[in-house]
Amino acid sequence: MKFTLNEVFHVYSALRQIKSSAFKVNYWISRNLKIFEDSYSFIFAEREKLYQEYLFPDESGNYFEILENGDVKFHLKESTDAYAKRFSDKMEELFHTDCELEPYRIDAAALFDSDLSVSLDQTIQIERLLKN
C-alpha cells in the first residue's frame, strides 16, 4: 500500500495514542507500530538534518516556535525569501516522498466494538488500516 511519509507520520502518531483493553486491538496496534516504525524514524532523522542545515536553535534548543495564532515560526539561519523557500521545498519533498508498506488491517467493527479510546482525528489518521 502506498503512503507518503507525511501519512506515515500521522498514522504512527495516532497508533501510539490509541488505547484499548482488547488483546486483538492491542496486537493490531503493536504490529502496525512495527511496520511504520522504520519510516517514522527515517522522517525524524531526515527532518533533524534539515533543521541543522537550515535552522538555528534558540536558547531552549528549539528550532521553531508556535505563535499565539497557531502559526509556526522557524529560526532560519538566513532571513531571505530564497533561503526560506529552499527550506520549505526540502521539507515538502521529505513529507511527500512515497513509500510502500503493508499494514496489518483490522475489521472496523472489531476495532470500534472493543473498549477503545480514540479521537475523531486519530480515527481519520488510521482509516486506511481498517477493513470495511
Side-chain angles (χ1 to χ4, degrees):
M1 186 178 289
K2 186 182 278 193
F3 291 88
T4 65
L5 290 178
N6 188 50
E7 290 171 320
V8 167
F9 174 84
H10 289 290
V11 168
Y12 188 87
S13 298
L15 287 170
R16 288 184 59 199
Q17 296 175 25
I18 296 172
K19 305 291 182 227
S20 174
S21 61
F23 293 120
K24 183 175 184 172
V25 173
N26 287 333
Y27 180 70
W28 170 79
I29 292 168
S30 177
R31 280 204 49 197
N32 279 307
L33 284 172
K34 288 188 185 325
I35 291 167
F36 283 86
E37 188 171 29
D38 286 342
S39 296
Y40 184 81
S41 295
F42 174 82
I43 295 164
F44 271 91
E46 292 301 311
R47 185 182 73 171
E48 185 64 26
K49 288 177 190 175
L50 289 174
Y51 282 3
Q52 289 176 7
E53 181 178 347
Y54 288 93
L55 308 175
F56 65 88
D58 64 14
E59 52 280 344
S60 300
N62 298 315
Y63 289 106
F64 60 88
E65 60 187 283
I66 300 176
L67 305 175
E68 286 183 21
N69 65 1
D71 288 347
V72 176
K73 179 183 176 190
F74 289 100
H75 304 289
L76 293 166
K77 289 181 180 177
E78 295 180 21
S79 58
T80 65
D81 289 341
Y83 191 82
K85 177 149 178 38
R86 277 197 310 274
F87 171 69
S88 177
D89 288 349
K90 287 288 190 179
M91 291 293 286
E92 287 290 317
E93 180 183 356
L94 172 62
F95 280 97
H96 287 94
T97 297
D98 291 333
C99 64
E100 288 284 334
L101 299 170
E102 288 304 320
Y104 179 58
R105 299 180 72 207
I106 192 170
D107 184 63
L111 182 67
F112 293 110
D113 284 346
S114 70
D115 179 23
L116 184 69
S117 175
V118 62
S119 71
L120 178 59
D121 286 341
Q122 292 164 338
T123 303
I124 292 168
Q125 300 305 329
I126 64 167
E127 182 178 23
R128 293 181 60 197
L129 308 183
L130 305 178
K131 294 187 247 180
N132 295 331

Short mmCIF file of all heavy atoms in Angstrom, two decimals, residues 5-6 8-10 12-13 16 38-57 61-66 72 74-77 83 86-97:
data_model
loop_
_atom_site.label_atom_id
_atom_site.label_comp_id
_atom_site.label_asym_id
_atom_site.label_seq_id
_atom_site.Cartn_x
_atom_site.Cartn_y
_atom_site.Cartn_z
N LEU A 5 5.34 9.92 3.32
CA LEU A 5 5.95 9.96 4.65
C LEU A 5 5.13 10.82 5.60
O LEU A 5 5.12 10.57 6.81
CB LEU A 5 7.40 10.43 4.56
CG LEU A 5 8.35 9.43 3.90
CD1 LEU A 5 9.77 10.00 3.82
CD2 LEU A 5 8.36 8.09 4.61
N ASN A 6 4.42 11.80 5.08
CA ASN A 6 3.53 12.61 5.92
C ASN A 6 2.41 11.73 6.49
O ASN A 6 2.08 11.82 7.68
CB ASN A 6 2.95 13.77 5.11
CG ASN A 6 2.18 14.73 5.97
OD1 ASN A 6 2.66 15.20 6.99
ND2 ASN A 6 0.96 15.04 5.55
N VAL A 8 2.59 8.49 6.93
CA VAL A 8 3.25 7.60 7.89
C VAL A 8 3.37 8.29 9.24
O VAL A 8 3.07 7.71 10.28
CB VAL A 8 4.65 7.16 7.38
CG1 VAL A 8 5.46 6.50 8.49
CG2 VAL A 8 4.50 6.24 6.18
N PHE A 9 3.81 9.54 9.21
CA PHE A 9 3.96 10.32 10.44
C PHE A 9 2.64 10.37 11.21
O PHE A 9 2.60 10.11 12.41
CB PHE A 9 4.42 11.74 10.10
CG PHE A 9 4.47 12.67 11.27
CD1 PHE A 9 5.59 12.69 12.10
CD2 PHE A 9 3.41 13.50 11.55
CE1 PHE A 9 5.63 13.54 13.20
CE2 PHE A 9 3.44 14.35 12.64
CZ PHE A 9 4.56 14.37 13.47
N HIS A 10 1.55 10.67 10.54
CA HIS A 10 0.26 10.80 11.20
C HIS A 10 -0.31 9.46 11.67
O HIS A 10 -0.89 9.37 12.76
CB HIS A 10 -0.74 11.54 10.30
CG HIS A 10 -0.40 12.99 10.16
ND1 HIS A 10 -0.53 13.89 11.18
CD2 HIS A 10 0.08 13.68 9.11
CE1 HIS A 10 -0.15 15.09 10.78
NE2 HIS A 10 0.24 14.99 9.52
N TYR A 12 1.42 6.71 12.45
CA TYR A 12 2.23 6.24 13.57
C TYR A 12 1.90 7.02 14.85
O TYR A 12 1.73 6.43 15.92
CB TYR A 12 3.71 6.37 13.23
CG TYR A 12 4.63 5.74 14.25
CD1 TYR A 12 4.96 4.39 14.17
CD2 TYR A 12 5.18 6.48 15.29
CE1 TYR A 12 5.80 3.81 15.09
CE2 TYR A 12 6.02 5.90 16.22
CZ TYR A 12 6.33 4.58 16.12
OH TYR A 12 7.17 3.99 17.04
N SER A 13 1.78 8.33 14.72
CA SER A 13 1.45 9.16 15.89
C SER A 13 0.09 8.79 16.46
O SER A 13 -0.08 8.71 17.68
CB SER A 13 1.46 10.65 15.50
OG SER A 13 2.75 11.03 15.08
N ARG A 16 0.18 5.38 18.32
CA ARG A 16 0.84 5.46 19.63
C ARG A 16 -0.09 5.99 20.72
O ARG A 16 0.14 5.75 21.90
CB ARG A 16 2.08 6.35 19.54
CG ARG A 16 3.20 5.66 18.77
CD ARG A 16 4.45 6.45 18.73
NE ARG A 16 4.93 6.68 20.09
CZ ARG A 16 5.80 7.62 20.40
NH1 ARG A 16 6.27 8.43 19.48
NH2 ARG A 16 6.20 7.79 21.64
N ASP A 38 10.15 2.10 11.08
CA ASP A 38 11.36 2.47 10.32
C ASP A 38 11.14 3.74 9.50
O ASP A 38 12.01 4.62 9.47
CB ASP A 38 11.80 1.33 9.41
CG ASP A 38 12.44 0.19 10.16
OD1 ASP A 38 12.85 0.38 11.33
OD2 ASP A 38 12.53 -0.92 9.59
N SER A 39 10.01 3.84 8.84
CA SER A 39 9.73 5.03 8.04
C SER A 39 9.55 6.25 8.93
O SER A 39 10.00 7.35 8.59
CB SER A 39 8.49 4.82 7.18
OG SER A 39 8.72 3.79 6.24
N TYR A 40 8.91 6.07 10.06
CA TYR A 40 8.73 7.16 11.03
C TYR A 40 10.09 7.64 11.54
O TYR A 40 10.34 8.86 11.60
CB TYR A 40 7.85 6.67 12.18
CG TYR A 40 7.50 7.71 13.20
CD1 TYR A 40 6.46 8.61 12.98
CD2 TYR A 40 8.18 7.79 14.41
CE1 TYR A 40 6.12 9.57 13.92
CE2 TYR A 40 7.84 8.73 15.37
CZ TYR A 40 6.81 9.62 15.12
OH TYR A 40 6.48 10.56 16.07
N SER A 41 10.97 6.72 11.88
CA SER A 41 12.32 7.08 12.34
C SER A 41 13.10 7.80 11.24
O SER A 41 13.83 8.75 11.52
CB SER A 41 13.08 5.84 12.79
OG SER A 41 12.47 5.27 13.91
N PHE A 42 12.93 7.34 10.00
CA PHE A 42 13.58 8.00 8.87
C PHE A 42 13.15 9.45 8.76
O PHE A 42 13.98 10.34 8.56
CB PHE A 42 13.26 7.24 7.57
CG PHE A 42 13.79 7.92 6.35
CD1 PHE A 42 15.11 7.76 5.97
CD2 PHE A 42 12.97 8.72 5.57
CE1 PHE A 42 15.61 8.40 4.84
CE2 PHE A 42 13.45 9.37 4.44
CZ PHE A 42 14.77 9.20 4.08
N ILE A 43 11.85 9.71 8.89
CA ILE A 43 11.34 11.08 8.80
C ILE A 43 12.04 11.97 9.83
O ILE A 43 12.50 13.06 9.51
CB ILE A 43 9.81 11.12 9.05
CG1 ILE A 43 9.06 10.38 7.97
CG2 ILE A 43 9.32 12.55 9.18
CD1 ILE A 43 7.61 10.06 8.35
N PHE A 44 12.12 11.51 11.07
CA PHE A 44 12.71 12.32 12.12
C PHE A 44 14.20 12.54 11.90
O PHE A 44 14.70 13.65 12.13
CB PHE A 44 12.43 11.72 13.50
CG PHE A 44 11.14 12.22 14.05
CD1 PHE A 44 9.97 11.54 13.82
CD2 PHE A 44 11.09 13.40 14.77
CE1 PHE A 44 8.76 12.01 14.29
CE2 PHE A 44 9.90 13.88 15.27
CZ PHE A 44 8.73 13.18 15.02
N ALA A 45 14.91 11.53 11.44
CA ALA A 45 16.34 11.68 11.18
C ALA A 45 16.58 12.69 10.06
O ALA A 45 17.44 13.57 10.18
CB ALA A 45 16.96 10.33 10.83
N GLU A 46 15.83 12.57 8.99
CA GLU A 46 15.99 13.49 7.86
C GLU A 46 15.53 14.90 8.21
O GLU A 46 16.14 15.88 7.79
CB GLU A 46 15.25 12.96 6.63
CG GLU A 46 15.85 11.70 6.06
CD GLU A 46 17.29 11.86 5.63
OE1 GLU A 46 17.62 12.83 4.91
OE2 GLU A 46 18.11 11.00 6.02
N ARG A 47 14.47 15.00 8.97
CA ARG A 47 13.99 16.32 9.40
C ARG A 47 15.04 16.99 10.28
O ARG A 47 15.31 18.19 10.13
CB ARG A 47 12.66 16.20 10.13
CG ARG A 47 12.06 17.56 10.49
CD ARG A 47 10.79 17.43 11.24
NE ARG A 47 11.10 16.99 12.61
CZ ARG A 47 10.21 16.94 13.60
NH1 ARG A 47 8.96 17.25 13.37
NH2 ARG A 47 10.56 16.54 14.78
N GLU A 48 15.66 16.23 11.16
CA GLU A 48 16.71 16.78 12.03
C GLU A 48 17.89 17.29 11.20
O GLU A 48 18.44 18.35 11.49
CB GLU A 48 17.18 15.72 13.03
CG GLU A 48 18.17 16.23 14.04
CD GLU A 48 17.63 17.30 14.98
OE1 GLU A 48 16.41 17.34 15.22
OE2 GLU A 48 18.44 18.10 15.47
N LYS A 49 18.25 16.56 10.14
CA LYS A 49 19.32 17.02 9.25
C LYS A 49 18.96 18.35 8.61
O LYS A 49 19.80 19.26 8.51
CB LYS A 49 19.60 15.98 8.16
CG LYS A 49 20.29 14.74 8.64
CD LYS A 49 20.46 13.76 7.48
CE LYS A 49 20.92 12.41 7.94
NZ LYS A 49 20.97 11.43 6.82
N LEU A 50 17.71 18.46 8.16
CA LEU A 50 17.27 19.72 7.55
C LEU A 50 17.26 20.85 8.57
O LEU A 50 17.67 21.98 8.27
CB LEU A 50 15.88 19.56 6.92
CG LEU A 50 15.81 18.71 5.67
CD1 LEU A 50 14.35 18.51 5.24
CD2 LEU A 50 16.61 19.34 4.55
N TYR A 51 16.81 20.57 9.78
CA TYR A 51 16.82 21.58 10.84
C TYR A 51 18.25 22.07 11.08
O TYR A 51 18.49 23.27 11.17
CB TYR A 51 16.26 21.01 12.14
CG TYR A 51 14.75 20.92 12.21
CD1 TYR A 51 13.93 21.27 11.15
CD2 TYR A 51 14.14 20.48 13.38
CE1 TYR A 51 12.56 21.18 11.24
CE2 TYR A 51 12.77 20.40 13.49
CZ TYR A 51 11.98 20.74 12.41
OH TYR A 51 10.62 20.66 12.51
N GLN A 52 19.19 21.14 11.17
CA GLN A 52 20.57 21.53 11.45
C GLN A 52 21.18 22.31 10.29
O GLN A 52 22.00 23.20 10.50
CB GLN A 52 21.41 20.31 11.78
CG GLN A 52 21.05 19.72 13.12
CD GLN A 52 21.81 18.45 13.44
OE1 GLN A 52 22.72 18.05 12.71
NE2 GLN A 52 21.44 17.81 14.54
N GLU A 53 20.77 21.98 9.08
CA GLU A 53 21.30 22.67 7.91
C GLU A 53 20.72 24.07 7.74
O GLU A 53 21.45 25.01 7.42
CB GLU A 53 21.03 21.86 6.63
CG GLU A 53 21.58 22.48 5.37
CD GLU A 53 21.32 21.63 4.14
OE1 GLU A 53 20.94 20.45 4.27
OE2 GLU A 53 21.50 22.17 3.02
N TYR A 54 19.43 24.23 7.97
CA TYR A 54 18.76 25.49 7.65
C TYR A 54 18.37 26.35 8.86
O TYR A 54 18.06 27.53 8.70
CB TYR A 54 17.48 25.21 6.85
CG TYR A 54 17.74 24.78 5.44
CD1 TYR A 54 17.83 23.43 5.11
CD2 TYR A 54 17.91 25.71 4.42
CE1 TYR A 54 18.08 23.02 3.81
CE2 TYR A 54 18.16 25.31 3.12
CZ TYR A 54 18.25 23.97 2.82
OH TYR A 54 18.50 23.58 1.53
N LEU A 55 18.34 25.77 10.05
CA LEU A 55 17.82 26.48 11.22
C LEU A 55 18.86 26.57 12.32
O LEU A 55 19.83 25.83 12.34
CB LEU A 55 16.58 25.76 11.77
CG LEU A 55 15.46 25.45 10.78
CD1 LEU A 55 14.37 24.63 11.47
CD2 LEU A 55 14.89 26.71 10.17
N PHE A 56 18.62 27.50 13.24
CA PHE A 56 19.44 27.55 14.44
C PHE A 56 18.51 27.41 15.64
O PHE A 56 17.37 27.87 15.62
CB PHE A 56 20.25 28.86 14.52
CG PHE A 56 19.41 30.10 14.66
CD1 PHE A 56 19.04 30.57 15.92
CD2 PHE A 56 19.01 30.82 13.55
CE1 PHE A 56 18.26 31.71 16.06
CE2 PHE A 56 18.23 31.97 13.68
CZ PHE A 56 17.86 32.40 14.94
N PRO A 57 19.00 26.72 16.67
CA PRO A 57 18.16 26.56 17.87
C PRO A 57 18.19 27.82 18.73
O PRO A 57 19.20 28.52 18.78
CB PRO A 57 18.82 25.38 18.60
CG PRO A 57 20.24 25.39 18.14
CD PRO A 57 20.23 25.96 16.76
N GLY A 61 16.91 25.45 22.82
CA GLY A 61 17.21 24.33 21.94
C GLY A 61 16.14 24.05 20.90
O GLY A 61 16.21 23.06 20.19
N ASN A 62 15.15 24.95 20.79
CA ASN A 62 14.06 24.75 19.83
C ASN A 62 14.37 25.44 18.51
O ASN A 62 14.84 26.57 18.48
CB ASN A 62 12.76 25.33 20.40
CG ASN A 62 12.35 24.63 21.68
OD1 ASN A 62 12.39 23.41 21.78
ND2 ASN A 62 11.96 25.41 22.68
N TYR A 63 14.08 24.72 17.42
CA TYR A 63 14.32 25.26 16.08
C TYR A 63 13.16 26.11 15.57
O TYR A 63 13.26 26.76 14.55
CB TYR A 63 14.55 24.12 15.09
CG TYR A 63 15.88 23.42 15.27
CD1 TYR A 63 15.94 22.16 15.84
CD2 TYR A 63 17.06 24.02 14.86
CE1 TYR A 63 17.15 21.51 16.01
CE2 TYR A 63 18.28 23.39 15.02
CZ TYR A 63 18.32 22.13 15.60
OH TYR A 63 19.52 21.49 15.75
N PHE A 64 12.06 26.09 16.28
CA PHE A 64 10.90 26.87 15.88
C PHE A 64 10.08 27.20 17.11
O PHE A 64 10.30 26.66 18.19
CB PHE A 64 10.04 26.12 14.85
CG PHE A 64 9.52 24.80 15.36
CD1 PHE A 64 8.32 24.73 16.05
CD2 PHE A 64 10.23 23.62 15.16
CE1 PHE A 64 7.84 23.52 16.52
CE2 PHE A 64 9.77 22.41 15.63
CZ PHE A 64 8.56 22.35 16.31
N GLU A 65 9.14 28.10 16.92
CA GLU A 65 8.19 28.42 17.98
C GLU A 65 6.80 28.45 17.39
O GLU A 65 6.62 28.73 16.20
CB GLU A 65 8.54 29.75 18.66
CG GLU A 65 8.55 30.95 17.71
CD GLU A 65 9.04 32.21 18.38
OE1 GLU A 65 8.26 32.81 19.15
OE2 GLU A 65 10.19 32.59 18.12
N ILE A 66 5.83 28.14 18.22
CA ILE A 66 4.44 28.18 17.78
C ILE A 66 3.84 29.48 18.30
O ILE A 66 3.84 29.73 19.51
CB ILE A 66 3.66 26.96 18.27
CG1 ILE A 66 4.30 25.68 17.71
CG2 ILE A 66 2.19 27.06 17.87
CD1 ILE A 66 3.70 24.40 18.20
N VAL A 72 3.62 28.48 12.80
CA VAL A 72 4.95 28.05 13.23
C VAL A 72 5.97 29.03 12.66
O VAL A 72 5.95 29.35 11.47
CB VAL A 72 5.26 26.62 12.73
CG1 VAL A 72 6.68 26.22 13.08
CG2 VAL A 72 4.26 25.64 13.31
N PHE A 74 9.88 29.39 12.11
CA PHE A 74 11.16 28.69 12.12
C PHE A 74 12.28 29.71 12.33
O PHE A 74 12.21 30.84 11.86
CB PHE A 74 11.38 27.95 10.80
CG PHE A 74 10.49 26.75 10.65
CD1 PHE A 74 9.34 26.81 9.88
CD2 PHE A 74 10.80 25.56 11.28
CE1 PHE A 74 8.52 25.71 9.74
CE2 PHE A 74 9.99 24.44 11.16
CZ PHE A 74 8.83 24.52 10.38
N HIS A 75 13.33 29.29 13.03
CA HIS A 75 14.50 30.13 13.26
C HIS A 75 15.51 29.87 12.14
O HIS A 75 16.43 29.07 12.29
CB HIS A 75 15.13 29.82 14.62
CG HIS A 75 14.18 29.96 15.76
ND1 HIS A 75 13.72 31.18 16.21
CD2 HIS A 75 13.59 29.03 16.55
CE1 HIS A 75 12.91 30.99 17.23
NE2 HIS A 75 12.80 29.69 17.45
N LEU A 76 15.28 30.52 11.00
CA LEU A 76 16.12 30.33 9.82
C LEU A 76 17.49 30.96 10.01
O LEU A 76 17.61 32.04 10.60
CB LEU A 76 15.46 30.92 8.58
CG LEU A 76 14.17 30.23 8.12
CD1 LEU A 76 13.43 31.09 7.11
CD2 LEU A 76 14.49 28.87 7.52
N LYS A 77 18.53 30.29 9.51
CA LYS A 77 19.89 30.83 9.59
C LYS A 77 20.05 32.07 8.72
O LYS A 77 20.88 32.93 9.03
CB LYS A 77 20.91 29.76 9.18
CG LYS A 77 21.05 28.65 10.19
CD LYS A 77 22.09 27.62 9.74
CE LYS A 77 22.23 26.51 10.76
NZ LYS A 77 23.18 25.48 10.31
N TYR A 83 16.08 31.59 0.75
CA TYR A 83 16.53 30.60 1.73
C TYR A 83 15.33 29.91 2.38
O TYR A 83 15.30 28.69 2.52
CB TYR A 83 17.39 31.31 2.80
CG TYR A 83 18.11 30.38 3.72
CD1 TYR A 83 19.31 29.80 3.34
CD2 TYR A 83 17.61 30.09 4.98
CE1 TYR A 83 20.00 28.94 4.19
CE2 TYR A 83 18.28 29.24 5.85
CZ TYR A 83 19.48 28.68 5.45
OH TYR A 83 20.15 27.83 6.30
N ARG A 86 13.90 27.43 -0.09
CA ARG A 86 14.69 26.20 -0.19
C ARG A 86 14.38 25.27 0.98
O ARG A 86 14.19 24.07 0.80
CB ARG A 86 16.19 26.51 -0.23
CG ARG A 86 16.72 26.88 -1.58
CD ARG A 86 18.24 26.79 -1.70
NE ARG A 86 18.99 27.45 -0.64
CZ ARG A 86 19.33 28.74 -0.64
NH1 ARG A 86 18.98 29.53 -1.64
NH2 ARG A 86 20.03 29.24 0.37
N PHE A 87 14.32 25.83 2.19
CA PHE A 87 13.98 25.03 3.37
C PHE A 87 12.59 24.43 3.22
O PHE A 87 12.38 23.23 3.43
CB PHE A 87 14.08 25.88 4.63
CG PHE A 87 13.55 25.19 5.86
CD1 PHE A 87 14.22 24.10 6.40
CD2 PHE A 87 12.39 25.62 6.46
CE1 PHE A 87 13.73 23.45 7.53
CE2 PHE A 87 11.89 24.98 7.60
CZ PHE A 87 12.56 23.89 8.13
N SER A 88 11.63 25.25 2.84
CA SER A 88 10.25 24.79 2.68
C SER A 88 10.15 23.71 1.61
O SER A 88 9.46 22.69 1.80
CB SER A 88 9.35 25.98 2.32
OG SER A 88 8.04 25.56 2.09
N ASP A 89 10.83 23.89 0.50
CA ASP A 89 10.81 22.91 -0.58
C ASP A 89 11.40 21.57 -0.12
O ASP A 89 10.87 20.50 -0.46
CB ASP A 89 11.57 23.42 -1.80
CG ASP A 89 10.84 24.53 -2.54
OD1 ASP A 89 9.65 24.78 -2.25
OD2 ASP A 89 11.49 25.17 -3.41
N LYS A 90 12.49 21.62 0.64
CA LYS A 90 13.10 20.39 1.15
C LYS A 90 12.17 19.67 2.11
O LYS A 90 12.04 18.44 2.07
CB LYS A 90 14.43 20.70 1.85
CG LYS A 90 15.54 21.07 0.92
CD LYS A 90 16.02 19.88 0.16
CE LYS A 90 17.29 20.19 -0.58
NZ LYS A 90 17.78 19.03 -1.31
N MET A 91 11.50 20.42 2.98
CA MET A 91 10.55 19.81 3.92
C MET A 91 9.38 19.19 3.16
O MET A 91 8.95 18.09 3.47
CB MET A 91 10.04 20.85 4.93
CG MET A 91 11.09 21.31 5.92
SD MET A 91 11.62 20.03 7.06
CE MET A 91 10.20 19.96 8.14
N GLU A 92 8.87 19.89 2.16
CA GLU A 92 7.78 19.36 1.33
C GLU A 92 8.21 18.08 0.63
O GLU A 92 7.46 17.10 0.58
CB GLU A 92 7.33 20.40 0.30
CG GLU A 92 6.54 21.55 0.87
CD GLU A 92 5.17 21.12 1.34
OE1 GLU A 92 4.49 20.35 0.63
OE2 GLU A 92 4.77 21.57 2.43
N GLU A 93 9.42 18.09 0.07
CA GLU A 93 9.93 16.90 -0.61
C GLU A 93 10.00 15.72 0.35
O GLU A 93 9.60 14.60 0.00
CB GLU A 93 11.31 17.19 -1.20
CG GLU A 93 11.92 16.03 -1.93
CD GLU A 93 13.32 16.31 -2.44
OE1 GLU A 93 13.82 17.45 -2.30
OE2 GLU A 93 13.92 15.37 -2.98
N LEU A 94 10.50 15.95 1.55
CA LEU A 94 10.59 14.89 2.55
C LEU A 94 9.21 14.32 2.86
O LEU A 94 8.99 13.12 2.77
CB LEU A 94 11.25 15.41 3.82
CG LEU A 94 11.25 14.46 5.03
CD1 LEU A 94 12.02 13.18 4.72
CD2 LEU A 94 11.80 15.17 6.25
N PHE A 95 8.28 15.17 3.21
CA PHE A 95 6.98 14.69 3.66
C PHE A 95 6.10 14.16 2.54
O PHE A 95 5.15 13.42 2.80
CB PHE A 95 6.26 15.77 4.48
CG PHE A 95 6.75 15.83 5.89
CD1 PHE A 95 7.71 16.74 6.26
CD2 PHE A 95 6.28 14.93 6.83
CE1 PHE A 95 8.19 16.77 7.57
CE2 PHE A 95 6.75 14.96 8.13
CZ PHE A 95 7.71 15.88 8.50
N HIS A 96 6.42 14.50 1.30
CA HIS A 96 5.62 13.97 0.18
C HIS A 96 6.31 12.80 -0.53
O HIS A 96 5.83 12.34 -1.57
CB HIS A 96 5.28 15.09 -0.79
CG HIS A 96 4.24 16.02 -0.23
ND1 HIS A 96 4.56 17.18 0.43
CD2 HIS A 96 2.90 15.91 -0.16
CE1 HIS A 96 3.47 17.76 0.86
NE2 HIS A 96 2.44 17.02 0.52
N THR A 97 7.40 12.31 0.04
CA THR A 97 8.06 11.14 -0.51
C THR A 97 7.17 9.92 -0.28
O THR A 97 6.61 9.74 0.80
CB THR A 97 9.43 10.93 0.18
OG1 THR A 97 10.26 12.07 -0.12
CG2 THR A 97 10.11 9.66 -0.30
#
